[in-house]
Amino acid sequence: MPLIRTWQLVAGSAAAGLILSAGAVVAAGPWDSGQRKAERDRVASLSRTGGADHGERPLPQAAPSAPGVLPGLPGLGTGATGASARPAEPGRDAAAADGAGPEAAAPDRGAPDAAALAAALKPLLADPALGDLRTASVIDTATGTVLYEAKPREAMTPASTVKIATAAAALAALGPEHRIATTVVPGPGTGRIVLVGGGDPSLTARKKAPAGSGGSLVDLAADTAQALKAANTTAVTLGYDDTLYSGPPVHPIGIDNDNIAPVSALTADEGRPDDSFAGPVDRSKTPAADTARAFASLLRESGIKVTGAPAQAKAPAGAAPLATTRSTPLGALVERMLTHSDNDIAEALARQTALAAGQPASFEGAEKAVAAKLAGLGLDLAGSRFADGSGLNRADKVSARLLTALLAKAADPARPELRPVLTGLPVAGFSGTLRTRNTGSSPAAGLLRAKTGTLSGVNSLAGTVVTPSGRLLSFAFLAANTPDKPSAEKALDRLAAAVAGTP
């Protein structure tokens, strides 16, 4: 299960943030993983009638005729093209970048005020902190109505907001319950075994497995030792097979970047040499060999003699496993990836999507598979490129409209398999990469869920927010050539807060 620490839940103005979070996390979708269940249980333990409310406004209550949680999405079904999808009635397109737009043809209680939103966003989007190219898209997920646009089809370098696309493609390809196997099989000849990597990014070699881990080398070693002893084998030669993935394992940003390890089908603890769970840290340059050595040590502790050092080997085709360990479900992997902006998980999910599509499990194969899967969801990919799964590659290109359309797809009741895209997004002032952003008295605190994106000169924010009337909106803001990260993030947070306050 994704990591959630007690101190994260109670730090700062805990009661206020959690009470507001009740609205946001309920609106974001079903509670289908441990992290979101932990949030729900903690929020539910606090009285809705007590404590602070950030001094802004009461917890939003939907009007009787307002759509319920995660309403249907007319106009965003098969064949729709993101935010360009239109509801059935003509004249429902709301303001474009100039803030002007016709009134709705029929009254819709609780419908967002597009003109007011445009008036709030236009001056904020002009902030020089956002560089010289800024794009925006805001849509009402209940109807598919465009509420605000500014160059929405402009293909931009998205940084880590591309993880939304990676997550959606993987979930569409494999489903949220899919688990990735790491196995041990008999090798060629007597007394030989092979550790076979399946690409589980949650695999751990730690004896005290961290929350959010999945496959366990400790358990795999114990089960392997038991199977070997049952066959009267107490000494083996160990090989390891990491050939499931192909192509260069090193991301184009280089091997010495502390944001990602070499992409390998056999990696324990993301190649981290310390007890860290997320964030930048120096990584192993040989994750597969290191994992095999750790497994050999665990086998010895389980009473199996391992002769020699583990060596690369190819597992015999069709060999029945002696033992298997499996990852946490893919839905939980998506949540962990989005909450902590985990680059290693992102690249693993992109390759799993490639394998599901019959493509080579490489950067190139993953790019083709992700694009094909998203196109299969009826999304307009014009100008898009998915050069990697993590967003570290500046060759990635997506539009603000594509991101809002992806988020709307994830909110569609007809697409429950995509729901972890929403439930995994960090909550403003509450969790993950948004824990210290839009906090305190911000109208977005506890109500906004979004994926951040940061590269040098590139800043982005895309997610969902519950409005005071109870509507779920999706939004995306992308900025290029930004002068510095802190000022750009503050400018993006002001834009998000304005969406949260949409009347």
Side-chain angles (χ1 to χ4, degrees):
M1 295 185 297
L3 179 65
I4 181 126
R5 296 188 177 95
T6 302
W7 66 265
Q8 287 178 312
L9 295 173
V10 299
S13 54
L18 287 166
I19 291 169
L20 276 178
S21 295
V25 291
V26 170
W31 302 91
D32 53 4
S33 84
Q35 175 172 353
R36 304 312 167 200
K37 288 177 181 176
E39 289 177 0
R40 177 198 60 185
D41 294 343
R42 176 62 178 162
V43 170
S45 72
L46 299 174
S47 168
R48 280 176 169 251
T49 59
D53 66 0
H54 289 304
E56 288 292 320
R57 62 190 188 288
L59 191 69
Q61 299 295 319
S65 61
V69 172
L70 296 176
L73 295 171
L76 282 176
T78 302
T81 56
S84 62
R86 305 300 191 230
E89 310 94 306
R92 287 288 300 280
D93 296 348
D98 62 359
E103 294 284 325
D108 181 1
R109 289 186 62 189
D113 186 333
L117 177 62
L121 292 181
K122 278 192 69 177
L124 295 175
L125 199 63
D127 190 330
L130 294 175
D132 57 15
L133 179 58
R134 316 87 181 262
T135 68
S137 175
V138 183
I139 66 174
D140 181 355
T141 65
T143 62
T145 301
V146 176
L147 300 175
Y148 182 82
E149 290 185 334
K151 300 181 180 179
R153 294 185 179 89
E154 183 87 25
M156 302 273 285
T157 298
S160 279
T161 54
V162 83
K163 290 183 174 76
I164 294 171
T166 303
L171 289 165
L174 295 161
E177 299 304 319
H178 178 75
R179 293 174 182 260
I180 304 166
T182 304
T183 61
V184 176
V185 301
T190 304
R192 296 178 180 271
I193 60 174
V194 181
L195 174 64
V196 184
D200 175 10
S202 64
L203 184 68
T204 181
R206 299 172 187 172
K207 293 182 179 179
K208 185 178 180 181
S213 60
S216 168
L217 280 184
V218 177
D219 293 344
L220 186 63
D223 292 345
T224 301
Q226 183 177 13
L228 290 171
K229 291 173 183 177
N232 296 317
T233 300
T234 57
V236 296
T237 299
L238 175 64
Y240 62 93
D241 186 344
D242 61 347
T243 59
L244 183 65
Y245 291 173
S246 57
V250 178
H251 191 281
I253 60 173
I255 197 168
D256 292 323
N257 193 291
D258 61 5
N259 285 293
I260 190 170
V263 185
S264 170
L266 182 62
T267 303
D269 301 300
E270 299 184 338
R272 296 173 179 273
D274 56 16
D275 291 332
S276 63
F277 180 83
V281 68
D282 287 338
R283 309 300 183 87
S284 166
K285 306 300 188 292
T286 55
D290 290 350
T291 301
R293 284 190 287 268
F295 185 68
S297 178
L298 291 167
L299 280 176
R300 293 185 184 101
E301 292 179 18
S302 295
I304 300 297
K305 181 181 179 180
V306 180
T307 57
Q312 284 186 304
K314 181 66 177 168
L322 295 170
T324 300
T325 187
R326 297 185 184 276
S327 72
T328 190
L330 190 135
L333 286 175
V334 163
E335 288 186 340
R336 176 177 161 187
M337 173 188 72
L338 293 172
T339 298
H340 299 287
S341 199
D342 192 302
N343 298 310
D344 300 278
I345 295 178
E347 298 302 345
L349 293 183
R351 278 165 170 70
Q352 294 296 317
T353 303
L355 291 169
Q359 293 282 350
S362 62
F363 284 109
E364 293 79 9
E367 178 177 355
K368 293 177 183 177
V370 168
K373 187 54 64 175
L374 297 182
L377 292 174
L379 297 164
D380 182 1
L381 304 183
S384 298
R385 185 184 175 190
F386 308 98
D388 68 2
S390 61
L392 291 171
N393 195 328
R394 291 176 183 269
D396 290 324
K397 300 294 178 184
V398 304
S399 67
R401 176 169 287 184
L402 174 58
L403 290 174
T404 54
L406 275 166
L407 293 162
K409 282 287 185 184
D412 189 343
R415 294 284 182 180
E417 73 279 8
L418 300 182
R419 203 69 78 246
V421 173
L422 298 189
T423 59
L425 295 173
V427 179
F430 183 71
S431 64
T433 55
L434 284 186
R435 190 171 60 85
T436 60
R437 294 176 61 174
N438 263 318
T439 60
S441 61
S442 168
L447 296 176
L448 178 140
R449 311 185 77 113
K451 182 69 199 75
T452 58
T454 306
L455 292 171
S456 178
V458 173
N459 295 91
S460 55
L461 191 68
T464 64
V465 69
V466 181
T467 68
S469 64
R471 292 296 264 261
L472 185 71
L473 309 184
S474 65
F475 67 88
F477 301 108
L478 305 176
N481 304 316
T482 54
D484 66 88
K485 173 184 172 181
S487 60
E489 288 183 346
K490 289 177 182 177
L492 290 171
D493 289 347
R494 285 190 288 269
L495 285 163
V499 178
T502 304

